[in-house]
């Protein structure tokens, strides 16, 4: 059986995504605590791809028309919550802890790549850069690298498997470490004197943006995000031509468009657009649509390399732990904020409050804002990692 209609292809992808999300919401199955629906969506579509369900010209045409258009729209909407005036409430110390996590993950990824490169498969540098973007900001940043870098679909699937396994192990370990907070803080002589004041400011900021979205909000956001996607791709193509004539052909259309959309999203986040409700919800709709399409072009056989990818991920986390312990000794960082920042990098804004709240419910807002900071710099971090890995590869 092969799908030979572009609309049926899109409808089927969204049906699978919606069905899995409904199962998570209404059944409360424990399996979704270990493996999020996004991973099931990817695996199921990879299986259908391997079976040949999507092997038609009509499906390929629909994929080419929609994937990048929705992806750039997603990036723009995702960044509308990244208001740096809000992030200022984290304070320099909290931002430094977050960036310390980002830096140690960067070092682990970079040091480990030459060691594991031969065991990960062919053409993997783009997928590793996408993974790093995800470990700075989140899944949306990972998907964004598909347009900005030459990411092999099979390697992307392996990177997603790494992301899922390591994330599950990491959040469990961070929650386990809560009981050792005093021991860690005593070892590094942690300074927690201003923590509660920062937590209160962050909580107030997060609470201030919670509003009920209307149909007008949804239609407005969909319209403006799709228009931004269209205009940005035109500008990306135009600038690519200009830069190529100037001898800077290494900046291709995808890279230029991604950077332009990211900067535009960050600028618009400072405007009233950043306060429009439904931003998070529409970001997720775009994310599930884009990830479903990416999975529909990848074969499940590409996951054969996943075991060594997971080992590579554990290596990165080991470097991350050592690096953060050294930084904590130097700057007296407490375990609560290190754990929150670490999960804000690796898990994103939705996960970081889980660990923060395990220490104190009033710290949840810090986790959210740290996750937003990651989303803001994730694309830039992934591009930087990509160009460095390309030179190594």
């Amino acid at each position: 059986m092969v799908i030979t209609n572009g609309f049926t292809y899109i409808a089927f992808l969204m049906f699978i995504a919606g069905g899995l999300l409904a199962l998570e919401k209404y059944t409360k199955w424990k399996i979704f605590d270990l493996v999020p629906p996004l991973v099931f969506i990817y695996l199921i579509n990879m299986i259908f791809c391997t079976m040949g369900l999507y092997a038609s010209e009509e499906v390929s045409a629909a994929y080419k028309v929609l994937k990048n258009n929705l992806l750039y729209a997603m990036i723009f909407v995702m960044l509308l919550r990244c208001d740096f005036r809000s992030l200022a409430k984290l304070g320099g110390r909290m931002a430094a802890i977050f960036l310390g996590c980002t830096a140690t993950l960067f070092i682990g990824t970079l040091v480990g790549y030459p060691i594991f490169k031969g065991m990960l498969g062919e053409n993997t540098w783009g997928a590793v850069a996408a993974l790093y973007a995800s470990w700075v900001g989140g899944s949306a940043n990972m998907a964004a690298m598909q347009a900005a870098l030459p990411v092999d679909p099979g390697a992307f699937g392996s990177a997603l498997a790494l992301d899922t396994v390591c994330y599950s192990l990491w959040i469990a370990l961070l929650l386990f470490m809560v009981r050792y907070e005093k021991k860690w803080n005593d070892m590094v002589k942690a300074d927690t004197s201003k923590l509660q004041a920062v937590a209160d400011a962050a909580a107030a900021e997060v609470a201030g943006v919670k509003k009920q979205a209307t149909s007008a909000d949804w239609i407005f956001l969909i319209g403006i995000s799709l228009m931004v996607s269209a205009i940005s791709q035109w500008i990306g193509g135009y600038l690519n031509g200009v830069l190529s004539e100037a001898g800077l052909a290494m900046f291709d259309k995808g890279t230029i468009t991604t950077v332009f959309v990211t900067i535009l999203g960050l600028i618009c986040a400072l405007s009233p657009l950043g306060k429009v409700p439904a931003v998070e919800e529409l970001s997720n709709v775009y994310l599930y649509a884009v990830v479903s399409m990416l999975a529909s072009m990848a074969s499940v056989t590409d996951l054969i390399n996943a075991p060594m990818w997971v080992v590579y991920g554990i290596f990165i986390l080991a470097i991350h732990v050592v690096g953060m312990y050294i930084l904590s000794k130097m700057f007296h960082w407490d375990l609560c904020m290190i754990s929150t920042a670490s999960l804000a990098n690796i898990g994103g804004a939705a996960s970081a409050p889980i660990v923060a709240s395990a220490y104190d419910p009033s710290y949840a807002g810090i986790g959210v804002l740290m996750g937003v900071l990651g989303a803001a710099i994730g694309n830039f971090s992934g591009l930087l990692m990509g160009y460095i890995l390309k030179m190594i590869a």
Side-chain angles (χ1 to χ4, degrees), residues 32-237:
F32 291 116
D33 294 334
L34 300 174
V35 183
L38 192 65
V39 176
F40 281 115
I41 290 169
Y42 202 94
L43 291 176
I44 289 171
N45 281 301
M46 285 182 74
I47 292 171
F48 285 136
C49 173
T50 306
M51 293 168 56
L53 184 64
Y54 306 130
S56 70
E57 293 183 4
E58 293 82 0
V59 165
S60 296
Y63 175 85
K64 290 176 182 177
V65 167
L66 284 175
K67 195 265 286 184
N68 279 355
N69 292 326
L70 293 183
L71 190 147
Y72 293 125
M74 177 199 72
I75 295 172
F76 175 75
V77 175
M78 173 191 72
L79 293 172
L80 288 179
R81 283 289 184 259
C82 298
D83 187 338
F84 281 101
R85 293 169 302 190
S86 302
L87 293 174
K89 290 180 170 56
L90 280 176
R93 182 181 179 82
M94 301 304 166
I97 295 173
F98 178 88
L99 293 175
C101 290
T102 302
T104 52
L105 289 168
F106 184 93
I107 293 169
T109 303
L110 201 57
V111 170
Y113 186 69
I115 300 172
F116 291 91
K117 180 175 65 172
M119 297 175 276
L120 299 180
E122 299 293 329
N123 301 317
T124 57
W125 66 269
V128 172
L131 171 71
Y132 178 68
S134 174
W135 277 15
V136 173
S139 300
N141 297 98
M142 189 177 190
M145 292 300 102
Q146 277 276 346
L149 299 172
V151 180
D152 178 76
F156 185 88
S158 297
L160 184 67
L162 180 165
D163 188 24
T164 303
V165 173
C166 289
Y167 165 76
S168 299
L169 293 173
W170 197 237
I171 191 171
L173 179 61
L174 291 178
L175 290 172
F176 174 76
M177 287 299 295
V178 171
R179 68 183 68 182
Y180 298 104
E181 178 187 17
K182 186 177 187 305
K183 191 171 184 179
W184 173 283
N185 291 348
D186 289 342
M187 284 193 300
V188 302
K189 297 180 174 61
D191 176 16
T192 60
S193 58
K194 298 180 180 179
L195 183 57
Q196 191 57 50
V198 174
D200 292 341
E205 181 62 37
V206 172
V209 298
K210 296 294 183 182
K211 296 179 181 177
Q212 185 67 38
T214 66
S215 58
D217 295 319
W218 277 88
I219 295 169
F220 173 70
L221 274 179
I222 292 171
I224 196 169
S225 62
L226 294 178
M227 200 65 204
V228 164
S229 176
I231 293 172
S232 298
Q233 290 179 78
W234 179 84
I235 291 175

Side-chain angles (χ1 to χ4, degrees), residues 363-388:
Y363 296 167
I366 295 176
V368 174
L369 292 185
M370 280 187 174
V372 171
L373 175 59
I377 66 174
N379 291 345
F380 298 112
S381 302
L383 289 172
L384 175 62
M385 177 63 75
Y387 284 117
I388 295 175

